[in-house]
């Protein structure tokens, strides 16, 4: 098994991904056949359940796009099942301490490094037993920094052995900082983002940012983040529909200016 997005992060190259919240096979397949480096199937807030992974991940196998899964919580069973279903990495939300980061890493790694239980259905199918020899090095363990406590402990979390990347959830981070969700120019948010990026740099792991629009993604890339989502399937759909609606003068400005955080 080879994880081309992880290789990019290790080489300091940037990668752009798309967020998948919808359950539709053709939507996932379409995004994976475009030039995104990775897609992330969202089991935390998306509409997907585990059974959707069983059709959506195989649907994108054979493309150059790395399948990642955001699990709903830091749970070894759920992380193991996402990896067994063929994810090349997991994004674990709300990681607040080095102990929690170590738990996430242990769930991603086979012994003696970690405690992942062996049963990689899709890994064995596609790579044979070689999967077992390569998985510990190629499965990406990504932890989200999006709370006040996570921010406080970010240096230690970034240094936890086996953490491949930190990923900022900007909206939850706003809540964690006690500022209005989406107030990304607030000095407290700007400082928090800089602190997380510097922690990644010092620890040698990739710095990730959930961009739910191309503008946010552009700004994160310009700041030096190398693991950035450029939008969500639902936002791509909505923006395309809005621009189609925009050709009609009958469309209310309210409809055109409805805010979105990617969902
Ligand atoms: C956040 O903005 O908090 C996220 O987790 C994005 O889904
Ligand atoms: Mg979040």
């Amino acid at each position: 098994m080879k994880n081309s997005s992880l290789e990019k992060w290790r080489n300091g190259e940037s990668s752009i991904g798309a967020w998948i919240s919808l359950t539709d096979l053709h939507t996932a397949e379409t995004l994976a056949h475009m030039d995104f480096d990775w897609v992330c199937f969202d089991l935390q807030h998306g509409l997907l359940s585990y059974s959707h992974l069983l059709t959506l991940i195989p649907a994108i196998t054979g493309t150059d796009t790395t399948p990642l899964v955001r699990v709903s919580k830091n749970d070894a069973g759920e992380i193991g099942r996402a990896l067994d279903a063929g994810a090349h990495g997991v994004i674990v939300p709300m990681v607040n301490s080095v102990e929690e980061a170590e738990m996430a890493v242990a769930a991603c790694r086979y012994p003696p490094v970690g405690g992942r239980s062996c049963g990689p259905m899709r890994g064995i199918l596609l790579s044979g037993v070689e999967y077992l020899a390569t998985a510990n090095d190629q499965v990406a363990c990504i932890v989200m920094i999006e709370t006040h406590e996570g921010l406080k402990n970010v240096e230690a979390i970034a240094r936890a052995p086996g953490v491949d990347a930190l990923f900022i959830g900007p909206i939850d981070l706003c809540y964690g900082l006690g500022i209005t969700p989406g107030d990304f120019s607030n000095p407290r948010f700007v400082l928090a983002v800089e602190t997380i990026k510097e922690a990644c740099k010092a620890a040698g792991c990739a710095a990730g940012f959930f961009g739910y629009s191309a503008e946010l993604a552009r700004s994160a890339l310009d700041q030096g983040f190398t693991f950035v989502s450029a939008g969500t399937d639902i936002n791509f759909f909505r923006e395309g529909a809005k621009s189609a609606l925009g050709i009609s003068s009958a469309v209310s400005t309210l409809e055109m200016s409805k805010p979105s955080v990617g969902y």
Side-chain angles (χ1 to χ4, degrees):
M1 172 210 173
K2 191 161 170 345
N3 186 333
S4 49
S5 292
L6 185 56
E7 189 178 358
K8 281 197 164 181
W9 305 331
R10 285 178 178 160
N11 292 334
E13 293 166 40
S14 43
S15 72
I16 297 183
W19 211 255
I20 298 192
S21 304
L22 302 177
T23 59
D24 184 63
L25 187 143
H26 193 68
T27 307
E29 222 182 352
T30 301
L31 290 172
H33 276 84
M34 297 177 74
D35 279 340
F36 291 107
D37 296 291
W38 52 271
V39 293
C40 180
F41 298 100
D42 188 2
L43 296 188
Q44 186 192 21
H45 294 303
L47 300 176
L48 300 91
S49 61
Y50 178 75
S51 61
H52 293 110
L53 296 185
L54 306 183
T55 50
L56 299 188
I57 293 180
I60 70 162
T61 298
T63 69
D64 292 334
T65 303
T66 306
L68 302 176
V69 169
R70 174 162 73 174
V71 289
S72 68
K73 57 183 187 301
N74 191 357
D75 176 86
E78 190 176 328
I79 291 172
R81 270 161 70 76
L83 297 176
D84 290 347
H88 287 187
V90 287
I91 300 183
V92 182
M94 299 277 180
V95 171
N96 294 324
S97 65
V98 67
E99 291 78 16
E100 289 180 13
E102 286 166 357
M103 273 170 56
V105 171
C108 291
R109 312 281 182 241
Y110 290 122
V113 181
R116 180 178 171 193
S117 172
C118 188
M121 301 281 287
R122 297 251 327 140
I124 289 281
L125 180 71
L126 299 173
S127 310
V129 286
E130 196 222 317
Y131 180 84
L132 299 179
T134 51
N136 277 4
D137 182 56
Q138 291 298 306
V139 162
C141 180
I142 301 139
V143 300
M144 290 192 73
I145 304 295
E146 49 181 352
T147 62
H148 179 67
E149 208 184 333
L151 180 64
K152 206 177 66 192
N153 296 322
V154 69
E155 280 87 8
I157 293 173
R159 279 197 308 270
V163 166
D164 294 300
L166 304 188
F167 193 70
I168 297 180
I171 298 293
D172 279 320
L173 185 58
C174 286
Y175 281 117
L177 296 171
I179 64 176
T180 310
D183 184 8
F184 300 142
S185 55
N186 188 303
R188 293 168 73 182
F189 185 84
V190 173
L191 178 63
V193 167
E194 189 59 25
T195 305
I196 296 167
K197 197 184 73 188
E198 286 306 313
C200 290
K201 199 166 153 196
C205 68
F209 191 95
F210 174 81
Y212 51 79
S213 67
E215 297 73 47
L216 263 183
R218 182 71 264 161
S219 137
L221 288 168
D222 290 347
Q223 288 173 71
F225 284 84
T226 56
F227 168 31
V228 174
S229 64
T232 65
D233 49 9
I234 186 69
N235 255 11
F236 294 142
F237 175 75
R238 188 184 284 120
E239 291 309 313
K242 264 193 197 172
S243 83
L245 272 171
I247 61 173
S248 157
S249 56
V251 180
S252 71
T253 46
L254 176 65
E255 178 59 36
M256 296 304 286
S257 62
K258 266 184 197 158
S260 160
V261 289
Y263 298 105

